[in-house]
């Protein structure tokens, strides 16, 4: 029973973080806030990519992950396709692994 | 007209679900890993699936498992809140596109929002396609993979190799990278992305949990505003 109560608590706070802003921000946003929010996706997505590439294990390193993401960036730029970016990046990662480039630990 | 609108919504939903397919292997692998770890720390198969169904937030579920049995219930719930605070920022940026929807529809869209489905939906909105069906479809697609992986992992409860060993953890940054291109419309956005990336690396090294996403997301986007003042497009 205790476990299920924890799940419910976790689910509730998770929903709150997702719903609060969607519920609060309505039609009449100040123009400044609107313009600011338009930069958020680029900033957030870059923030989700860079550490996974350059510091995948808690320290900065130019390992297979970094080169694979660099290859993915090239594919993303040329194709703008999520699928091909994933395929290209993973192919580069596996190739580097076969060639013996270390994956940081 | 109403039939037409309904059909568009269904089509949007289908496209949203389909858009999550490239991510499927990565989500499934981490779902399996989650299920396996959950069984190891003593959750039953039903509880393992239950947590995914109720919480459906991958990162915080892994963090919670790490605290299970050693931390209080309150500490686990509070940590979940902190790990998911980044969704406030994501919610704020997608909110303008959800204007005009009813509260129950907004709540439904918020319920299953993930980093991945947020990114997919924002890229769609950025291209001028307004379809809440697509957003819902992307949410549901990600959730289905997550639930299926967790359910299987919990059922099997056996050791699977670390997904990172096969680079499957890279599926997520690679997908975000593919979607990022939709937002690099001008040099302001390019600078914002580069700066946020650099800040995020620094933040990931120095800050606990997912604070680096919030830090880089807030600071990077604020710099975008400043750039508008000093540097014309």
């Amino acid at each position: 029973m205790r476990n299920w109560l924890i799940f419910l608590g976790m689910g509730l706070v998770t929903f709150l973080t997702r719903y609060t802003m969607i519920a609060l921000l309505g039609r009449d946003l100040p123009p400044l806030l609107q313009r600011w929010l338009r930069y958020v996706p680029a900033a957030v997505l870059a923030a989700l990519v860079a550490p996974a590439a350059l510091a995948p294990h808690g320290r900065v390193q130019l390992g297979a992950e970094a080169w694979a993401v660099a290859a993915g960036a090239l594919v993303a730029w040329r194709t703008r396709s999520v699928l091909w970016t994933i395929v290209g990046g993973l192919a580069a990662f596996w190739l580097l692994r076969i060639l013996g480039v270390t994956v940081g630990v | 007209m109403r039939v037409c609108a309904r059909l568009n919504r269904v089509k949007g939903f289908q496209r949203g679900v389909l858009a999550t397919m490239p991510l499927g292997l990565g989500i499934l692998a981490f779902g399996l890993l989650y299920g396996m770890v959950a069984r190891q720390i003593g959750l039953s198969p039903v509880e393992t699936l239950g947590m995914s169904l109720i919480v459906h937030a991958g990162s915080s579920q892994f963090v919670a498992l790490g605290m299970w049995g050693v931390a209080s219930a309150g500490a686990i719930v509070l940590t979940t809140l902190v790990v998911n605070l980044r969704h406030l920022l994501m919610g704020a940026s997608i909110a303008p596109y959800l204007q005009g929807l009813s509260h129950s529809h907004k709540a439904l869209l918020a319920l299953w929002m993930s980093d991945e489905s947020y990114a997919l939906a924002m890229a769609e909105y950025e291209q001028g396609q307004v379809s809440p069906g697509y957003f819902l479809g992307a949410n549901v697609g990600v959730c289905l993979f997550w639930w299926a992986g967790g359910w299987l992992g919990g059922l099997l409860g056996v050791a699977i190799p670390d997904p990172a060993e096969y680079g499957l953890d890279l599926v997520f940054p690679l997908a975000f990278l593919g979607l990022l291109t939709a937002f690099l419309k001008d040099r302001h956005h390019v600078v914002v992305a580069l700066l946020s990336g650099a800040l995020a690396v620094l933040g990931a090294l120095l800050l606990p949990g997912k604070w680096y996403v919030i830090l880089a997301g807030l600071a990077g986007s604020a710099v975008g505003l400043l750039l508008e003042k000093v540097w014309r497009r």
Side-chain angles (χ1 to χ4, degrees), chain A residues 14 18 35-36 39 94 97, chain B residues 84 113 165-166 221 228:
Chain A
T14 300
R18 290 171 179 170
R35 294 216 319 273
W36 177 52
Y39 287 102
W94 290 327
R97 288 295 307 278
Chain B
N84 284 327
M113 183 176 89
E165 189 63 24
Y166 298 93
S221 51
E228 287 186 5

Side-chain angles (χ1 to χ4, degrees), chain B residues 58-116:
Chain B
S59 316
S60 50
Q61 283 179 241
F62 273 110
V63 174
L65 292 183
M67 301 171 73
W68 219 260
V70 287
S72 69
I76 293 174
V77 172
L78 194 67
T79 305
T80 303
L81 175 70
V82 173
V83 171
N84 284 327
L85 279 179
R86 67 189 189 285
H87 285 142
L88 286 175
L89 194 58
M90 297 181 189
S93 75
I94 207 166
Y97 296 103
L98 306 180
Q99 288 174 8
L101 295 179
S102 69
H103 285 299
S104 56
H105 282 173
K106 284 181 182 174
L108 179 67
L109 288 171
L111 181 63
W112 291 316
M113 183 176 89
S114 54
D115 293 357
E116 293 78 18

Side-chain angles (χ1 to χ4, degrees), chain B residues 171-223:
Chain B
V171 165
F172 305 104
L174 287 169
F176 294 135
L177 196 58
L179 293 167
L180 179 61
T181 56
F183 300 97
L184 303 180
K185 302 167 285 210
D186 51 39
R187 50 189 187 171
H188 292 165
H189 283 82
V190 175
V191 173
V192 165
L194 289 173
L195 199 75
S196 305
L199 261 176
V201 172
L202 206 63
L205 296 177
L206 301 176
L207 302 171
K210 293 259 179 185
W211 281 105
Y212 69 91
V213 180
I214 302 168
L215 168 85
L218 281 175
S221 51
V223 166

